[in-house]
Amino acid sequence: MDVVEGKLFYQGRLQKACVGIEDGRIVSVRKVLDGDEHHDFGDRLVLPGAVDPHVHFRDPGSTHKEDFSSGSLSALHGGVTCVLDMPNTVPPVIDAPSLQEKREAVAGRSWVDYGLFGGISPRTDVASMASCHAYKVFMGSSTQSVLLSEERDLARALEAVGRTGKVVSVHAEEEGMLQRMDERSLRDHEACRPREAELRAVERLMQYRSQARINVCHVSCPESLSLLKGSGMSFEVTPHHMLLDSSMDLGAWGKVNPPLRRRADREALFAAFCSGDIPMLATDHAPHAHEEKERGFGEAPSGIPGVETGYAMMLALVKRGFMPLEVLMRAACSVPARTFGLNKGEIAEGRDADLVVVDPRQLTRISARRLHGKCGWTPYEGREALFPQAVFLRGRLVLRDGASVTERSGREVEHA
Ligand code: DOR
Ligand code: ZN
């Protein structure tokens, strides 16, 4: 047995204790434990690794933006030990052969554990893709997305997903309400993709909520929260919709779908997050190359990178007193793990020993130069973050003193 000692987040609070690990799993949590190898982190925090249920690693097909290796290394450095990767890769993952192709393309290349989404097009045979971890539906078009917006297609798809028992994550923007015009600013982009489009899509999903396990992705405005509360559907909010808004001078670097909205919207989402009213934090890590973002606002693709900065910025906000640690632990770790059937996200007996060691005295400022993704930019330059000093993946020390120390050992996850 190996032992990791420190100030653990265990049973809802921080306590000085030891985690015993065998075969990659947590086998006991005690005040004192003896082990073959003993890692003592003193009064540093030992937290569960984050589970990011929404990333775009661009592999295969757009590996100039990111690939599975760079994206997952970025996740590791951000304390994210498990990611669920979206299907809008090239070719799109919308049937069994394309899922298999992607599975083979990324096998053995990840630094963290991962699951793969299967996308649903109007022609997808949902049951034939049952080896995906969860499904994804785009009700509104976005970067390289495969649309599913007609009512009968949506009904058929959600019914079929319901039979699989898996979760379906939905990009909820009503296609018919999105406008195309010459966009020059974040405000134009917001006007083209109005909040009513999100509200309408969420309302449409409401009628299927007892048929399938629906997860609404990247909620962008507080009105959607009111609709979703108590609906039985789960949902995600991104760091960018809580920390950035369309009045900021970000240009195309802040272009994303759904769009950044007003300052009041961002503040309301952040306040809801801090109060524990948002089930899941998801980064929607969607990197694009410098040259692509510099093409001029109208031409630039939508998407913001964030898998490395999301958990780390939120930890800094905990340290600054904006929210209790417990709230972040639920939204970034335990709820995404439970929602997606992963044996992760908590320090508890039987769970995978995915642990992140953080020193709350080591607040740093984000700098694009020091991040590990391929795109080389971040809209969070200069913001405070608490990056992990050490990370254990299934009990194995994979990051020490802020640097990766072993070979890549990420695996495709199974349902718990
Ligand atoms: O802004 C976005 N970028 N929204 C999406 O839905 C897709 C993503 C991407 O893949 O770039
Ligand atoms: Zn996305």
Side-chain angles (χ1 to χ4, degrees):
M1 181 172 75
D2 289 347
V3 173
V4 175
E5 179 168 4
K7 236 172 159 183
L8 309 185
F9 183 77
Y10 179 59
Q11 295 184 330
R13 64 190 174 88
L14 288 172
Q15 34 194 315
K16 191 91 173 65
C18 296
V19 187
I21 302 167
E22 252 168 28
D23 298 327
R25 295 234 165 130
I26 298 171
V27 290
S28 63
V29 182
R30 301 267 160 76
K31 281 277 165 232
V32 181
L33 277 175
D34 271 337
D36 305 319
E37 213 170 318
H38 195 109
H39 304 268
D40 187 357
F41 292 101
D43 63 354
R44 280 178 275 175
L45 311 186
V46 178
L47 310 174
V51 173
D52 190 340
H54 191 149
V55 303
H56 299 263
F57 281 173
R58 312 298 191 201
D59 206 341
S62 306
T63 50
H64 64 289
K65 298 175 196 270
E66 191 79 283
D67 62 31
F68 231 84
S69 179
S70 61
S72 62
L73 185 64
S74 191
L76 177 64
H77 279 270
V80 176
T81 45
C82 184
V83 295
L84 300 182
D85 190 58
M86 285 294 166
N88 58 335
T89 35
V90 184
V93 177
I94 44 169
D95 52 25
S98 50
L99 176 59
Q100 190 53 26
E101 188 180 328
K102 176 158 178 176
R103 181 165 279 141
E104 284 166 17
V106 307
R109 306 209 1 251
S110 187
W111 290 91
V112 300
D113 286 351
Y114 59 93
L116 302 177
F117 277 99
I120 306 183
S121 82
R123 282 197 295 279
T124 296
D125 173 3
V126 168
S128 78
M129 261 204 304
S131 74
C132 67
H133 193 77
Y135 292 93
K136 173 71 183 275
V137 162
F138 284 91
M139 291 173 76
S141 40
S142 193
T143 320
Q144 297 278 4
S145 61
V146 171
L147 258 193
L148 192 87
S149 54
E150 296 290 326
E151 201 63 49
R152 68 190 144 77
D153 294 334
L154 193 63
R156 189 188 60 86
L158 295 180
E159 197 189 310
V161 171
R163 284 195 292 269
T164 69
K166 291 181 201 253
V167 177
V168 57
S169 284
V170 183
H171 182 118
E173 285 187 288
E174 181 70 20
E175 178 67 9
M177 293 168 76
L178 306 182
Q179 289 152 39
R180 296 195 208 300
M181 63 160 196
D182 186 19
E183 295 179 19
R184 289 171 190 192
S185 66
L186 290 177
R187 281 284 155 86
D188 289 348
H189 191 57
E190 192 193 353
C192 285
R193 305 183 76 108
R195 67 183 66 219
E196 291 75 20
E198 180 171 297
L199 296 174
R200 177 74 197 109
V202 172
E203 274 166 10
R204 273 179 74 192
L205 287 171
M206 226 37 118
Q207 54 184 317
Y208 302 106
R209 67 189 171 178
S210 52
Q211 262 181 47
R213 297 175 59 206
I214 298 173
N215 171 44
V216 175
C217 297
H218 40 51
V219 167
S220 71
C221 56
E223 295 86 338
S224 299
L225 299 184
S226 325
L227 285 176
L228 286 162
K229 204 169 177 184
S231 70
M233 296 193 271
S234 66
F235 57 98
E236 308 163 351
V237 172
T238 66
H240 50 268
H241 288 112
M242 293 191 281
L243 302 173
L244 308 175
D245 65 64
S246 60
S247 73
M248 294 176 171
D249 191 19
L250 294 162
W253 308 98
K255 187 178 176 187
V256 66
N257 302 327
L260 300 180
R261 302 201 186 277
R262 302 298 161 118
R263 181 172 171 177
D265 296 312
R266 141 171 90 84
E267 288 175 349
L269 291 178
F270 184 61
F273 190 89
C274 294
S275 327
D277 291 335
I278 307 288
M280 293 192 278
L281 179 73
T283 67
D284 193 8
H285 175 76
H288 294 288
H290 253 274
E291 312 80 82
E292 296 165 333
K293 280 292 199 183
E294 276 167 349
R295 275 178 199 154
F297 196 94
E299 298 292 306
S302 292
I304 293 178
V307 73
E308 189 165 351
T309 47
Y311 190 38
M313 276 194 297
M314 290 296 158
L315 284 167
L317 291 166
V318 168
K319 154 92 180 168
R320 292 294 185 198
F322 285 93
M323 70 191 90
L325 179 62
E326 200 188 333
V327 162
L328 179 61
M329 295 295 99
R330 277 203 297 264
C333 309
S334 59
V335 177
R338 279 188 206 162
T339 303
F340 287 93
L342 299 161
N343 190 33
K344 294 177 176 293
E346 247 172 309
I347 298 181
E349 282 176 25
R351 299 266 172 239
D352 285 354
D354 297 343
L355 306 171
V356 160
V357 180
V358 169
D359 184 345
R361 290 159 298 221
Q362 302 277 311
L363 271 178
T364 48
R365 291 200 180 271
I366 293 171
S367 149
R369 277 187 304 111
R370 291 202 293 268
L371 298 177
H372 298 80
K374 241 186 214 185
C375 74
W377 61 274
T378 171
Y380 305 112
E381 189 73 32
R383 292 202 188 222
E384 282 185 337
L386 265 178
F387 289 106
Q389 297 186 327
V391 176
F392 293 82
L393 182 67
R394 281 176 277 102
R396 192 148 167 232
L397 186 62
V398 285
L399 186 113
R400 189 177 56 207
D401 301 328
S404 48
V405 289
T406 48
E407 290 303 301
R408 292 172 283 187
S409 58
R411 274 197 214 146
E412 189 172 350
V413 291
E414 283 163 20
H415 269 275

